[in-house]
Structures are given as structure tokens and as C-alpha cells.
Amino acid sequence: NDLSDVEFNARVLMTFFEQWGEPAIGLELGREGFEIGRRRGSRVYGFGMVGNSVICALRVGDWDWAAALLDEWLTIEVTSAGWAEFFVDRAILRSLRGEDATNDIAEAARLRATITDPQFESYDLYARAWASFAEGDIGAARAHAERAVAITDYFTPLAMPLAVRSILWSGDATDAEAAVDRFETSGFWGPALQLDRQAARAGRAALKGNGPEALAGFREALRGYRGLGLAFDEAAAAVDMAPRLR
């Protein structure tokens, strides 16, 4: 029906929710969106596809595609503070790859300094959380992730899994109990998010010394991640599991 604006807004929202729903589907929606943008010659359309598509790609494990996409867009002259999100996304990817994300985090912070929308502070904190986690600073990773959620509620399904993972890695059973309970009752839903909660419950069970429950929970999470095609999450859950079930 030639409702192009409606279609664009719907696609942005769908890719947004698929970040913790079915990221593989979100990635395909994003890739299709880039093709639509190219056919229309619309940079605005492509711009709207980048951020959500990259997070979906990270979960699926298509990191080379995400890196190439971000590098392509970040060679374009930065014209607005909204580009801060792309530097955040690249900072997360670089952190996961063991690379230095300092410059990307700094550039994102510089760009967002002129924005009053609090979500951009949450983006900044989300990048810092992953960078801290990759560097082994578990306390800072938790603090940044929890602060991101406190500022912007809809960062819960993005940042709360990392906050909980950080607490579980710290070995603090009391804090883990409370954090997993908060995570369970956060009010968001999605297939991938449900698996994140399953992995969190398994980690909590391991900290409490309940090996059989933990093993069963981790196995269920691993099967679920594989079923959704989430290679990174499957690998991360296996890393979570290994030292706790020795």
C-alpha cells in the first residue's frame, strides 16, 4: 500500500525487539532493510537499521559482517550525536574480540554530550560494562550494566544479563540470588531473553552447590541458544558453566 514510513518504523521496532527475541530473525530483517534502503537511495533508512542489526549479529556470531558494517558507516562524516550508538556498538565488538575499545567509548561519550535523551548514557554505560568485563574488572562491569538499566528501563534485557553474569562470576551467592530474582521479574519477554534467564538460574544453582540442577539448567540453555542460532550466547554459556561444575 506504499506506506513506506509505516514500514520503516515497523522494521526498526521489530529489529529492536528481536535483539532479545530471535536475533537471527532480527538480523535478516536488518539485512533486508539495508537492501530496501539501497534501492531507495535512502541513507536515513540504512541508518535506522545499523544499531539493532549489529547487536543481533553479535549474538548470532556474524562478527565479521558487523565489523564491516560499522566500519563502513563510521567512515561517513559524522553529522549528528545519534552516531554515538555506532561507536558504542563497535566498542562492544572490539571488547569481545580482546581489542582496545577506549577510543570508540571516548568518541561515543563526546558525541552524546550534547544529547539530553538518557538512553544515550545507557548506551555509553553498556559499552563500558562490556569493556570492563573483557578486561576482567567484574565489579565495574556489574556497576555499569546496572546503572544502564537504572537510567533506561528498556536496557534491562540488554544489560541485565551481563550484570547477572558479572555477579555470578564474582561468586557472591547472596547478591546472585537477589539479582536473578530481579532479572526474572523484570517484565520483559523474548525467546533469547528466556534463555538468558535460564542460564542465570543455572549459575545461581551452581553457586548454591546444587550441581545436578545447574547442569540440567545449563544444558537446557545451551540447547536453546543453539536452536535459535545464537553462537556467541551458546559459547558464553559454556564458559559460564565450565568453572562452576568442575
Short mmCIF file of all heavy atoms in Angstrom, two decimals, residues 102-126:
data_model
loop_
_atom_site.label_atom_id
_atom_site.label_comp_id
_atom_site.label_asym_id
_atom_site.label_seq_id
_atom_site.Cartn_x
_atom_site.Cartn_y
_atom_site.Cartn_z
N THR A 102 38.90 1.80 23.87
CA THR A 102 38.97 3.10 24.54
C THR A 102 38.56 4.25 23.64
O THR A 102 37.77 5.12 24.03
CB THR A 102 40.40 3.34 25.07
OG1 THR A 102 40.76 2.28 25.94
CG2 THR A 102 40.46 4.67 25.82
N ASN A 103 39.09 4.28 22.43
CA ASN A 103 38.82 5.42 21.54
C ASN A 103 37.35 5.48 21.14
O ASN A 103 36.76 6.57 21.06
CB ASN A 103 39.70 5.35 20.30
CG ASN A 103 41.16 5.64 20.61
OD1 ASN A 103 41.48 6.25 21.62
ND2 ASN A 103 42.05 5.18 19.75
N ASP A 104 36.74 4.32 20.86
CA ASP A 104 35.33 4.31 20.48
C ASP A 104 34.45 4.75 21.64
O ASP A 104 33.47 5.49 21.44
CB ASP A 104 34.92 2.91 20.01
CG ASP A 104 35.39 2.61 18.60
OD1 ASP A 104 35.53 3.56 17.81
OD2 ASP A 104 35.60 1.43 18.28
N ILE A 105 34.77 4.32 22.85
CA ILE A 105 33.99 4.75 24.01
C ILE A 105 34.12 6.25 24.22
O ILE A 105 33.15 6.95 24.50
CB ILE A 105 34.44 3.98 25.27
CG1 ILE A 105 34.02 2.51 25.15
CG2 ILE A 105 33.84 4.60 26.53
CD1 ILE A 105 34.54 1.62 26.27
N ALA A 106 35.33 6.76 24.05
CA ALA A 106 35.57 8.20 24.22
C ALA A 106 34.81 9.01 23.16
O ALA A 106 34.24 10.06 23.46
CB ALA A 106 37.06 8.50 24.14
N GLU A 107 34.80 8.53 21.92
CA GLU A 107 34.10 9.25 20.87
C GLU A 107 32.59 9.22 21.09
O GLU A 107 31.90 10.21 20.87
CB GLU A 107 34.44 8.64 19.50
CG GLU A 107 33.87 9.38 18.31
CD GLU A 107 34.36 10.82 18.19
OE1 GLU A 107 35.38 11.17 18.83
OE2 GLU A 107 33.72 11.61 17.45
N ALA A 108 32.08 8.08 21.54
CA ALA A 108 30.65 8.00 21.86
C ALA A 108 30.29 8.98 22.97
O ALA A 108 29.25 9.66 22.91
CB ALA A 108 30.28 6.57 22.27
N ALA A 109 31.14 9.07 23.97
CA ALA A 109 30.89 10.00 25.08
C ALA A 109 30.93 11.44 24.60
O ALA A 109 30.11 12.28 25.04
CB ALA A 109 31.92 9.78 26.19
N ARG A 110 31.85 11.75 23.70
CA ARG A 110 31.94 13.11 23.17
C ARG A 110 30.68 13.49 22.40
O ARG A 110 30.13 14.58 22.57
CB ARG A 110 33.15 13.24 22.25
CG ARG A 110 33.39 14.66 21.73
CD ARG A 110 34.48 14.69 20.67
NE ARG A 110 34.06 14.06 19.43
CZ ARG A 110 33.29 14.65 18.51
NH1 ARG A 110 32.85 15.88 18.70
NH2 ARG A 110 32.98 14.02 17.40
N LEU A 111 30.20 12.57 21.58
CA LEU A 111 29.03 12.85 20.76
C LEU A 111 27.76 12.98 21.60
O LEU A 111 26.91 13.83 21.32
CB LEU A 111 28.85 11.75 19.72
CG LEU A 111 29.83 11.74 18.56
CD1 LEU A 111 29.70 10.46 17.75
CD2 LEU A 111 29.61 12.96 17.66
N ARG A 112 27.65 12.15 22.62
CA ARG A 112 26.41 12.17 23.40
C ARG A 112 26.36 13.34 24.38
O ARG A 112 25.32 13.58 25.01
CB ARG A 112 26.22 10.86 24.16
CG ARG A 112 27.08 10.69 25.39
CD ARG A 112 26.64 9.50 26.21
NE ARG A 112 27.42 9.37 27.43
CZ ARG A 112 27.16 10.04 28.56
NH1 ARG A 112 26.14 10.88 28.60
NH2 ARG A 112 27.92 9.87 29.63
N ALA A 113 27.44 14.08 24.51
CA ALA A 113 27.49 15.18 25.47
C ALA A 113 26.45 16.25 25.16
O ALA A 113 26.03 16.99 26.05
CB ALA A 113 28.88 15.80 25.49
N THR A 114 26.01 16.31 23.91
CA THR A 114 25.02 17.33 23.52
C THR A 114 23.59 16.78 23.54
O THR A 114 22.65 17.50 23.18
CB THR A 114 25.32 17.84 22.11
OG1 THR A 114 25.25 16.75 21.18
CG2 THR A 114 26.71 18.45 22.05
N ILE A 115 23.40 15.52 23.96
CA ILE A 115 22.08 14.88 23.94
C ILE A 115 21.51 14.82 25.34
O ILE A 115 22.20 14.42 26.29
CB ILE A 115 22.17 13.45 23.37
CG1 ILE A 115 22.91 13.43 22.04
CG2 ILE A 115 20.79 12.85 23.20
CD1 ILE A 115 23.12 12.05 21.48
N THR A 116 20.25 15.17 25.47
CA THR A 116 19.60 15.08 26.78
C THR A 116 18.87 13.76 26.96
O THR A 116 18.51 13.40 28.07
CB THR A 116 18.59 16.22 26.96
OG1 THR A 116 17.63 16.18 25.89
CG2 THR A 116 19.30 17.57 26.95
N ASP A 117 18.65 13.02 25.86
CA ASP A 117 17.96 11.73 25.94
C ASP A 117 18.79 10.76 26.78
O ASP A 117 19.92 10.43 26.43
CB ASP A 117 17.78 11.17 24.52
CG ASP A 117 16.92 9.91 24.49
OD1 ASP A 117 16.78 9.26 25.54
OD2 ASP A 117 16.42 9.57 23.41
N PRO A 118 18.25 10.27 27.91
CA PRO A 118 19.04 9.44 28.81
C PRO A 118 19.46 8.09 28.23
O PRO A 118 20.40 7.48 28.74
CB PRO A 118 18.12 9.24 30.03
CG PRO A 118 16.74 9.45 29.48
CD PRO A 118 16.88 10.51 28.43
N GLN A 119 18.80 7.63 27.18
CA GLN A 119 19.18 6.33 26.63
C GLN A 119 20.62 6.33 26.14
O GLN A 119 21.27 5.28 26.15
CB GLN A 119 18.24 5.94 25.49
CG GLN A 119 18.38 6.76 24.22
CD GLN A 119 17.63 6.16 23.06
OE1 GLN A 119 17.62 4.95 22.86
NE2 GLN A 119 16.97 7.02 22.28
N PHE A 120 21.12 7.50 25.72
CA PHE A 120 22.48 7.53 25.21
C PHE A 120 23.50 7.37 26.33
O PHE A 120 24.60 6.86 26.11
CB PHE A 120 22.71 8.79 24.39
CG PHE A 120 22.07 8.74 23.04
CD1 PHE A 120 20.79 9.25 22.84
CD2 PHE A 120 22.71 8.12 21.98
CE1 PHE A 120 20.18 9.17 21.60
CE2 PHE A 120 22.11 8.03 20.74
CZ PHE A 120 20.83 8.56 20.55
N GLU A 121 23.15 7.79 27.54
CA GLU A 121 24.02 7.49 28.67
C GLU A 121 24.02 5.99 28.94
O GLU A 121 25.06 5.41 29.28
CB GLU A 121 23.57 8.25 29.91
CG GLU A 121 24.51 8.03 31.11
CD GLU A 121 24.15 8.86 32.33
OE1 GLU A 121 23.20 9.66 32.26
OE2 GLU A 121 24.85 8.70 33.36
N SER A 122 22.87 5.36 28.79
CA SER A 122 22.80 3.91 28.98
C SER A 122 23.62 3.18 27.93
O SER A 122 24.29 2.18 28.21
CB SER A 122 21.34 3.44 28.95
OG SER A 122 20.64 3.90 30.09
N TYR A 123 23.58 3.67 26.67
CA TYR A 123 24.44 3.09 25.64
C TYR A 123 25.91 3.18 26.05
O TYR A 123 26.67 2.20 25.94
CB TYR A 123 24.24 3.82 24.31
CG TYR A 123 23.09 3.35 23.47
CD1 TYR A 123 22.06 4.21 23.13
CD2 TYR A 123 23.04 2.04 23.00
CE1 TYR A 123 20.98 3.78 22.35
CE2 TYR A 123 21.98 1.60 22.23
CZ TYR A 123 20.95 2.48 21.91
OH TYR A 123 19.90 2.05 21.15
N ASP A 124 26.30 4.34 26.52
CA ASP A 124 27.68 4.56 26.96
C ASP A 124 28.05 3.57 28.06
O ASP A 124 29.11 2.92 28.02
CB ASP A 124 27.82 6.00 27.45
CG ASP A 124 29.24 6.34 27.88
OD1 ASP A 124 29.69 5.82 28.92
OD2 ASP A 124 29.88 7.14 27.20
N LEU A 125 27.18 3.43 29.04
CA LEU A 125 27.44 2.53 30.16
C LEU A 125 27.47 1.07 29.71
O LEU A 125 28.26 0.26 30.24
CB LEU A 125 26.37 2.72 31.23
CG LEU A 125 26.46 4.05 32.00
CD1 LEU A 125 25.15 4.33 32.72
CD2 LEU A 125 27.62 4.00 33.00
N TYR A 126 26.65 0.74 28.74
CA TYR A 126 26.62 -0.63 28.22
C TYR A 126 27.96 -0.98 27.57
O TYR A 126 28.50 -2.08 27.77
CB TYR A 126 25.47 -0.74 27.21
CG TYR A 126 25.17 -2.13 26.72
CD1 TYR A 126 25.19 -3.23 27.57
CD2 TYR A 126 24.85 -2.35 25.38
CE1 TYR A 126 24.89 -4.51 27.10
CE2 TYR A 126 24.55 -3.62 24.90
CZ TYR A 126 24.57 -4.69 25.76
OH TYR A 126 24.27 -5.95 25.30
#
